[in-house]
C-alpha cells in the first residue's frame, strides 16, 4: 500500500470550549497573573495615596408651589405642573445666569495653585505643612504651607486659557512669566500693570523661588467647569425639596462656591417674581381707564333712557333675571381669562382645557335661556334690564381690577420668592474620593482579570501542537510522545557556551549521558512499537523526516539508533541531510568522507562508514556538502548502498532534511520500508503536519505515524498529553 490510510475522525468544533483546558492555561500562567495582580495592586496603592482628596459640599433648597389663582378646574394637572416646575428650577440653578454670578463673585475664572512635584508632590505637601525658611531641598516646587491670594488678574486674549507661572521673589516680590519669558514683576499689595496685563496680589507666603501655576479662564469655560462639579436633584417625589451638591479639593472655596450658587438662585427668583408683579400691575393700570370709560358710558345710557321713558324701577321678576344675567356674565369673563391662561400651557386636547370649555358652553346655554326670558318681557323692561346689566357688569369688572391693583402694589412692595434656602452649604468632613480601600480592591481585581485575559489570549494564539490528541483527532497516528529533557537542554546550553568561546566540544548523546532520562524511555517505547511495525515492512530501512527545521529529527535518529543497539541489534545511522547534517559532530567522527563522497564514487562503503563508541552502531556521515544533494540521492549508488546495508545490518536509520524545504525525503522514502515524521511540540501546527503528509502521499510514500518531540508538561493538558511519562522509575538503592 503506497498511500497512508488515515481513518476518518470527526474534528472537534472550533467553537467548543474546553473548561479543563482553560483552567489548565490559567494554572500554567499563574505567575504571569500574579505579576499583573501585584503590579495593579501597586498602581492602586499609588493612586489611593497620591491622588488629592476630593470633598463634597451639600445645600438644601425648597421650591414652593406658586398660587396663580387657578381654579379647581386645574387640580387634575397639579402633579404634572409640580414636576415641570421642579425640573425647570433645576435647570435654572444650572443656568449661566446663576452660575455666572457665582463665577463673578468668587473669581472662579482665576485658578492659582502651588506648583507641586509631579505625582507625589501634593501628597508630600499635605503631610509636610511648613519647613525652615530658605529650605531648597525641594527646588522650586511647593513643599506645603504656601499661601497666595490674587485679587485681580486681567490678561490679553492671547494669554486667556494659557498657563502662566508666578514666582515668589525676596522682599515680598513676585514675577509673572509665560514659557520662561517675564511678563511683569510686582510687589504684594500693589497693582502691577504692563502691556494690557494687570495683576494684584494681596497675600503671598512662600519661600523665594517657589512657583505657582496661574490660569485665567474664559468666563464661559469657568461656568462650564463649575456646572460639571454641580449636581442638583429632588429629594423624594413631588416634594419640591432640591439638594445641591458640589465637589472640590479646597474645602473653604468649595463651601463659598455652593453658597454663592444658592444665593444667586434665590436672588434671581426674587427678581423674577417682582418683575411678574410689575408687569401685571402695568397691564392693569392700562386697562383701568378703558374699563372706567365703558362704565361711565353705560351709566349715561341708562340714565338717559330712564329720563326718556320715565321708567325708574324694575319689577321683582325682572330684578331676578338681571341678577342671574350679571352672574353669568361675570363667570363667563372669569372663564375666558382662564382660557387665555390655559391656552399658553396646554393644547386644546388637554383634559383641563376640555373641562374649561365644557363649563363655558354650559354658561352660554344659561345665558341663552336667560335671553329667552328677557325677550318675553315688555320692550321697555327689556331695554332697562339690558342697560342695567351693562352697568353692573362693567362696575364689577372695574372693582375687580381696582382690587387687583391694590394687591399687586402690596405684592410688589414686599416681594417674597417661592424659593428659600433650608440648609446652607456644608462640607462633608471625609473626602468622597478617592475611596482608598475600594480603589485598591478594584485595581487588584482588574489586574487579576487583565493577567488572566493575557494568559488566555496567549494560550488561544498558540498554533503549535500541544497534545497527541490534536493529531489523532484528524486521523494522524502518534507513535511516540517524547518529553522535553532537562538534561538535554543543559547539554545544549553548555555546547553553545563552548562554541562562543571557540571550543569545539563533542556533542554528547543523551542516551549515553543519562540513559534513564524520560526522553530515552520514550524512545525505548518507540523502539518496541517499530519492532512490530517493521515486521510487515518491505525492508529494515527506517526514514525519519520532518515538516520544518529544528524539530529534533537528528536527536531522535541518533538516540533511537543508540537505544536500538542496546537490544543487540546492529544499526547503521545514515545522515542523508547533506546540506546541514551534524551527525558527525554528535559522534565526534570525521566528515571528510561520507555519503556525498560515497554516492559520487569518490570512496567505497568501508571508507565512508565509520564505527562509533557505541557497540553495534555504525555511522555514515553526510560528507562534504555537495552542490546537488537531490541528484546524488537519485543515483543508483544510493539504492545499491541500502541494498548492501540490508544484508549487513539489522536496522538502517536514515535521517533526512525537512520535506517542506527540499525534495530529498521523497527520494529516500521510496526506498525505505518504514517512514516516520517528527513534529515539534508548540512549533508545528496541525495544519502544517497535514500538509507534510499530503506532500509524502503525492510522492507515493506512506508515513506510518508521527513522533511528537519536545513535549512539555503543562496544566492545560491535564493527563491527556503524556502523563504516564511523569513517573520516574529508578533502580532502588541498596
Amino acid at each position: 500500500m503506497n498511500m497512508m490510510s488515515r481513518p476518518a475522525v470527526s474534528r472537534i468544533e472550533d467553537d467548543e470550549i474546553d473548561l479543563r483546558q482553560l483552567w489548565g492555561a490559567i494554572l500554567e500562567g499563574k505567575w504571569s497573573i500574579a505579576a499583573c495582580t501585584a503590579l495593579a495592586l501597586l498602581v492602586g496603592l499609588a493612586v489611593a495615596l497620591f491622588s488629592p482628596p476630593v470633598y463634597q459640599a451639600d445645600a438644601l433648597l425648597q421650591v414652593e408651589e406658586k398660587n396663580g389663582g387657578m381654579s379647581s378646574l386645574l387640580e387634575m394637572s397639579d402633579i404634572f405642573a409640580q414636576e415641570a416646575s421642579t425640573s425647570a428650577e433645576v435647570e435654572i440653578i444650572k443656568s449661566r445666569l446663576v452660575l455666572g454670578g457665582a463665577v463673578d463673585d468668587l473669581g472662579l475664572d482665576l485658578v492659582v495653585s502651588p506648583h507641586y512635584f509631579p505625582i507625589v508632590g501634593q501628597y508630600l505637601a499635605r503631610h509636610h505643612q511648613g519647613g525652615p525658611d530658605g529650605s531648597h531641598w525641594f527646588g522650586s516646587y511647593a513643599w506645603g504651607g504656601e499661601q497666595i491670594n490674587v485679587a485681580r488678574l486681567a490678561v490679553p486674549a492671547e494669554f486667556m486659557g494659557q498657563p502662566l507661572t508666578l514666582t515668589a521673589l525676596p522682599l515680598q516680590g513676585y514675577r509673572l512669566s509665560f514659557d520662561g519669558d517675564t511678563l511683569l514683576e510686582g510687589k504684594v499689595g500693589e497693582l502691577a500693570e504692563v502691556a494690557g496685563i494687570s495683576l494684584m496680589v494681596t497675600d503671598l507666603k512662600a519661600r523665594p523661588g517657589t512657583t505657582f501655576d496661574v490660569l485665567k479662564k474664559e468666563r464661559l469655560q469657568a461656568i462650564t467647569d463649575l456646572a460639571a462639579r454641580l449636581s442638583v436633584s429632588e429629594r423624594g417625589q413631588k416634594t419640591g425639596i432640591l439638594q445641591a451638591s458640589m465637589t472640590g479639593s479646597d474645602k473653604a472655596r468649595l463651601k463659598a462656591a455652593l453658597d454663592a450658587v444658592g444665593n444667586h438662585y434665590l436672588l434671581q427668583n426674587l427678581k423674577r417674581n417682582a418683575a411678574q408683579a410689575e408687569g401685571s400691575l402695568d397691564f392693569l393700570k392700562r386697562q383701568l381707564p378703558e374699563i372706567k370709560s365703558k362704565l361711565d358710558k353705560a351709566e349715561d345710557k341708562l340714565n338717559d333712557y330712564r329720563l326718556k321713558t320715565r321708567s325708574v324701577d324694575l319689577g321683582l321678576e325682572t330684578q331676578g333675571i338681571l341678577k342671574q344675567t350679571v352672574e353669568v356674565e361675570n363667570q363667563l369673563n372669569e372663564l375666558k381669562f382662564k382660557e387665555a391662561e390655559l391656552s399658553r400651557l396646554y393644547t386644546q386636547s388637554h383634559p383641563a382645557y376640555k373641562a374649561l370649555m365644557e363649563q363655558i358652553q354650559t354658561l352660554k346655554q344659561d345665558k341663552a335661556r336667560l335671553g329667552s326670558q328677557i325677550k318675553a318681557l315688555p320692550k321697555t323692561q327689556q331695554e332697562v334690564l339690558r342697560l342695567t346689566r351693562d352697568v353692573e357688569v362693567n362696575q364689577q369688572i372695574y372693582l375687580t381690577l381696582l382690587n387687583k391693583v391694590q394687591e399687586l402694589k402690596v405684592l410688589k412692595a414686599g416681594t417674597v420668592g417661592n424659593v428659600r434656602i433650608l440648609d446652607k452649604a456644608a462640607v462633608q468632613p471625609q473626602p468622597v474620593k478617592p475611596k482608598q480601600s475600594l480603589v485598591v480592591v478594584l485595581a487588584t481585581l482588574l489586574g487579576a482579570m487583565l493577567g488572566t485575559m493575557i494568559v488566555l489570549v496567549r494560550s488561544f494564539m498558540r498554533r503549535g501542537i500541544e497534545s497527541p490528541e490534536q493529531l489523532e483527532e484528524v486521523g494522524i497516528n502518534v507513535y511516540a510522545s517524547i518529553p522535553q529533557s532537562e538534561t538535554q537542554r543543559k547539554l545544549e546550553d553548555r555546547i553553545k557556551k563552548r562554541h562562543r568561546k571557540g571550543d569545539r566540544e563533542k556533542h554528547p548523546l543523551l542516551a549515553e549521558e543519562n540513559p534513564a532520562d524520560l526522553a530515552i524511555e520514550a524512545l525505548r517505547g518507540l523502539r518496541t512499537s517499530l519492532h512490530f511495525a517493521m515486521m510487515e515492512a518491505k525492508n529494515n530501512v527506517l526514514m525519519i523526516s520532518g515538516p520544518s527545521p529544528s524539530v529534533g529529527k537528528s536527536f531522535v535518529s541518533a538516540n533511537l539508533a543508540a537505544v536500538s543497539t542496546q537490544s543487540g541489534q546492529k544499526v547503521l545511522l545514515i545522515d542523508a541531510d547533506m546540506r546541514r547534517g551534524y551527525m558527525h559532530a554528535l559522534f565526534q567522527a570525521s566528515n571528510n568522507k561520507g555519503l556525498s563522497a560515497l554516492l559520487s564514487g569518490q570512496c567505497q562503503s568501508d571508507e565512508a562508514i565509520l564505527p562509533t563508541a557505541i557497540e553495534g552502531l555504525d555511522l555514515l556521515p553526510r560528507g562534504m556538502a555537495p552542490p546537488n544533494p537531490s541528484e546524488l540521492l537519485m543515483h543508483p549508488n544510493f539504492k545499491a548502498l541500502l541494498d548492501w546495508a540490508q544484508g549487513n545490518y539489522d536496522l538502517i536509520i536514515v535521517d533526512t532534511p525537512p520535506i517542506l524545504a527540499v525534495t530529498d525525503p521523497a527520494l529516500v522514502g521510496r526506498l525505505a520500508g518504514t517512514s516516520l515524521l517528527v513534529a515539534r511540540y508548540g512549533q508545528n501546527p496541525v495544519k502544517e503536519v497535514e500538509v507534510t503528509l499530503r506532500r509524502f502521499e503525492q510522492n507515493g510514500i506512506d508515513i506510518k505515524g508521527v513522533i511528537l518531540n519536545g513535549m512539555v508538561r503543562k496544566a492545560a493538558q491535564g493527563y491527556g498529553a503524556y502523563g504516564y511519562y511523569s513517573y520516574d522509575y529508578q533502580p532502588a538503592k541498596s
Side-chain angles (χ1 to χ4, degrees), residues 96-410:
R96 289 196 295 269
L97 173 66
V98 174
L99 299 185
V103 168
D104 296 338
D105 287 353
L106 300 179
L108 299 180
D109 55 345
L110 176 60
V111 179
V112 183
S113 62
H115 188 197
Y116 296 110
F117 192 82
I119 302 177
V120 300
Q122 294 192 40
Y123 174 81
L124 296 176
R126 290 195 301 271
H127 295 80
H128 185 272
Q129 296 298 324
D133 294 337
S135 173
H136 291 275
W137 66 275
F138 219 179
S140 63
Y141 296 107
W143 43 263
E146 294 81 8
Q147 293 182 7
I148 187 172
N149 185 22
V150 179
R152 175 186 175 186
L153 175 62
V155 296
E158 61 266 24
F159 293 114
M160 193 70 70
Q162 298 294 331
L164 306 178
T165 301
L166 189 145
T167 305
L169 301 178
L171 302 176
Q172 288 291 288
Y174 61 84
R175 178 176 62 251
L176 186 67
S177 58
F178 175 71
D179 283 346
D181 298 330
T182 301
L183 300 179
L184 61 79
E185 292 186 356
K187 286 187 174 294
V188 176
E190 299 177 0
L191 178 63
E193 293 182 302
V194 174
I197 302 175
S198 61
L199 176 61
M200 180 67 176
V201 178
T202 58
D203 185 25
L204 177 60
K205 294 180 180 178
R207 56 188 173 81
T210 304
T211 56
F212 295 83
D213 298 324
V214 181
L215 179 66
K216 181 69 172 180
K217 299 181 182 179
E218 296 280 355
R219 184 175 184 271
L220 182 58
Q221 183 61 47
I223 294 174
T224 303
D225 294 343
L226 183 62
R229 298 191 291 122
L230 176 65
S231 175
V232 184
S233 60
E234 184 178 12
R235 271 195 177 181
Q237 294 183 350
K238 300 179 288 295
T239 60
I241 304 298
L242 300 180
Q243 180 175 2
S245 59
M246 185 181 295
T247 57
S249 56
D250 189 332
K251 288 185 176 182
R253 196 172 179 85
L254 177 62
K255 181 179 183 303
L258 189 56
D259 277 335
V261 171
N263 292 333
H264 276 275
Y265 170 61
L266 180 62
L267 180 61
Q268 67 81 30
N269 183 264
L270 293 174
K271 291 181 178 179
R272 182 176 58 182
N273 289 337
Q276 291 177 352
E278 181 66 26
S280 299
L281 185 60
D282 292 340
F283 173 76
L284 293 179
K285 286 182 177 180
R286 291 195 301 269
Q287 295 296 320
L288 277 175
E290 182 179 351
I291 299 300
K292 185 64 170 62
S293 176
K294 289 182 179 180
L295 177 59
D296 293 340
K297 290 180 180 179
E299 290 177 344
D300 292 342
K301 288 182 179 180
L302 177 60
N303 293 331
D304 292 343
Y305 186 78
R306 283 180 170 176
L307 290 175
K308 181 179 178 181
T309 59
R310 299 182 182 276
S311 176
V312 178
D313 297 326
L314 297 174
L316 293 176
E317 181 181 359
T318 305
Q319 289 181 359
I321 294 174
L322 174 63
K323 183 177 180 181
Q324 294 180 30
T325 303
V326 172
E327 289 179 357
V328 170
E329 289 286 351
N330 288 335
Q331 292 178 12
L332 278 174
N333 288 332
E334 291 180 2
L335 292 181
K336 286 181 179 179
F337 174 75
K338 293 172 183 177
E339 179 188 3
E341 293 290 332
L342 279 181
S343 63
R344 294 184 299 175
L345 300 175
Y346 309 110
T347 62
Q348 295 183 359
S349 60
H350 194 275
Y353 189 88
K354 288 183 177 180
L356 178 64
M357 296 307 297
E358 290 177 0
Q359 281 198 356
I360 292 177
Q361 188 63 31
T362 301
L363 289 176
K364 286 183 177 180
Q365 293 176 359
D366 292 342
K367 182 179 178 181
R369 178 178 54 78
L370 291 173
S372 300
Q373 294 180 9
I374 291 174
K375 290 181 180 180
L377 297 175
K379 186 176 181 180
T380 303
Q381 292 291 324
Q382 291 183 27
E383 187 66 20
V384 172
L385 189 147
R386 183 181 65 81
L387 295 174
T388 305
R389 179 197 63 193
D390 292 341
V391 170
E392 292 189 3
V393 169
N394 287 321
Q395 187 176 23
Q396 186 68 31
I397 294 174
Y398 183 71
L399 292 176
T400 301
L401 290 179
L402 286 178
N403 291 334
K404 290 290 185 183
V405 168
Q406 296 301 320
E407 291 176 1
L408 289 174
K409 286 183 178 180
V410 174

